[in-house]
Amino acid sequence: MTKIITTKAVRLKYGDSEALHGIDLDFEAKQLTTLIGPSGCGKSTFLRCLNRMNDDIPNVHVSGDIKFEGHDIYTNKTDLVALRKEVGMVFQQPTPFPFSVFDNVAFGLRLAGIKDQALIEERVIESLKQAAIWNETKDVLDRSAQSFSGGQQQRICIARALAVRPKIVLLDEPTSALDPISSAEVERTLIQLKRQYTFIMVTHNLQQASRISDQTAFFMNGDLIESGATEKMFIKPKQQMTNDYLNGRFG
Ligand SMILES: Nc1ncnc2c1ncn2[C@@H]1O[C@H](COP(=O)(O)OP(=O)(O)OP(=O)(O)O)[C@@H](O)[C@H]1O
Ligand SMILES: [Mg+2]
């Protein structure tokens, strides 16, 4: 297996308050890894480190080492637009832009300077198919993306993230704002795609983590408690704290 992201001794401070206390965690390519742990333990904070989304928050200080395909992503020379093209992101609330389905999915391609209409069209269709939202949108590509249901909007956002052909997609609780049926649709989509892309997903839903992820990392109070193959961790965790969390004793 290939490690696509490696992190060492990652510390993050919001002002004077340290939210991550030294995280060492590597991610395998073409696997789905879930980050789990109680509210406030640093899952979203850590996820945002991986494509430098925390840079947009004032007074954030990150130290340690984060490499994407062997290259340090925290250098002065790192091209953030290029990084975020390779490491895309999907948020908890579906965030389609207030324009058509087609233009939403084409957005990243146009931003990347692609002008070839035929190529854009091909990519949009392919991405909508990959995100399992093609059947519901193919006859209404010019309808506002915001007029779709929550689950449909989230799949449109996944299509938008996939359109630029990222290597990694970060997902922060992508199904927690959705009803069970939409949530199951998004899960199915991720399962179908996970051999093609690397997914790193935060979830509070332990059943979901055990259903769809290959690897799991358990965070607590800004520390990584343990990580490894999902099945192993759920059956026989190494740490007592993980065992207690998985059995609903806190969190
Ligand atoms: N923008 C911010 N400014 C200051 N502190 C922050 C900021 N964002 C997060 N924190 C703090 O950092 C810690 C980790 O927060 P984070 O959002 O990463 O947790 P989380 O594990 O994603 O929680 P949840 O499951 O509730 O989403 C918390 O103590 C939180 O209050
Ligand atoms: Mg969070």
Side-chain angles (χ1 to χ4, degrees):
M1 285 201 279
T2 328
K3 294 193 188 318
I4 188 161
I5 290 196
T6 57
T7 77
K8 261 204 195 78
V10 174
R11 286 176 182 272
L12 182 143
K13 279 184 174 177
Y14 293 111
D16 292 332
S17 161
E18 192 174 82
L20 298 174
H21 311 308
I23 306 293
D24 299 333
L25 180 60
D26 297 345
F27 296 91
E28 304 288 348
K30 313 251 165 118
Q31 297 252 305
L32 194 156
T33 302
T34 43
L35 311 181
I36 60 170
S39 185
C41 68
K43 303 177 298 294
S44 298
T45 298
F46 181 71
L47 192 74
R48 289 194 300 262
C49 287
L50 306 179
N51 69 349
R52 291 188 52 176
M53 289 299 260
N54 290 317
D55 285 23
D56 303 335
I57 303 171
N59 293 319
V60 167
H61 183 254
V62 184
S63 66
D65 184 53
I66 303 180
K67 292 198 175 92
F68 167 59
E69 295 188 320
H71 300 287
D72 186 355
I73 62 165
Y74 278 82
T75 70
N76 298 333
K77 288 186 199 131
T78 305
D79 177 345
L80 291 186
V81 174
L83 174 67
R84 289 169 191 168
K85 186 199 158 295
E86 301 280 26
V87 188
M89 193 150 191
V90 173
F91 300 91
Q92 178 172 11
Q93 292 293 335
T95 51
F97 303 130
F99 27 79
S100 71
V101 173
F102 188 96
D103 289 342
N104 263 273
V105 182
F107 185 82
L109 300 168
R110 291 176 175 147
L111 194 69
I114 298 176
K115 299 244 157 51
D116 182 342
Q117 263 319 111
L119 176 66
I120 291 177
E121 207 164 296
E122 185 188 308
R123 282 285 190 86
V124 167
I125 293 169
E126 200 179 359
S127 306
L128 287 166
K129 283 182 180 165
Q130 282 189 323
I133 183 70
W134 174 241
N135 285 339
E136 290 140 281
T137 56
K138 63 176 189 271
D139 298 323
V140 284
L141 289 174
D142 54 0
R143 197 173 121 192
S144 168
Q146 293 181 340
S147 73
F148 286 81
S149 76
Q152 290 171 329
Q153 290 187 24
Q154 193 63 308
R155 281 176 287 140
I156 292 169
C157 291
I158 293 172
R160 185 176 65 194
L162 298 178
V164 294
R165 296 287 169 271
K167 294 207 169 120
I168 301 180
V169 182
L170 310 175
L171 306 117
D172 197 350
E173 303 191 48
T175 64
S176 67
L178 307 180
D179 66 274
I181 291 171
S182 304
S183 174
E185 276 159 5
V186 170
E187 270 189 31
R188 259 199 306 280
T189 305
L190 295 175
I191 290 169
Q192 273 168 17
L193 290 174
K194 74 179 182 176
R195 295 293 165 250
Q196 281 166 268
Y197 294 93
T198 304
F199 290 114
I200 304 173
M201 178 175 88
V202 172
T203 183
H204 272 281
N205 183 333
L206 298 178
Q207 268 90 33
Q208 180 176 67
S210 77
R211 268 195 305 269
I212 74 174
S213 70
D214 306 295
Q215 306 283 326
T216 299
F218 170 54
F219 284 72
M220 234 340 251
N221 298 330
D223 287 306
L224 175 69
I225 305 301
E226 80 173 87
S227 66
T230 299
E231 212 171 318
K232 261 195 199 153
M233 192 187 291
F234 275 74
I235 292 169
K236 202 172 184 308
K238 287 180 228 132
Q239 304 294 332
Q240 186 60 40
M241 225 186 308
T242 316
N243 191 49
D244 290 349
Y245 182 71
L246 294 177
N247 286 296
R249 295 205 184 94
F250 64 89

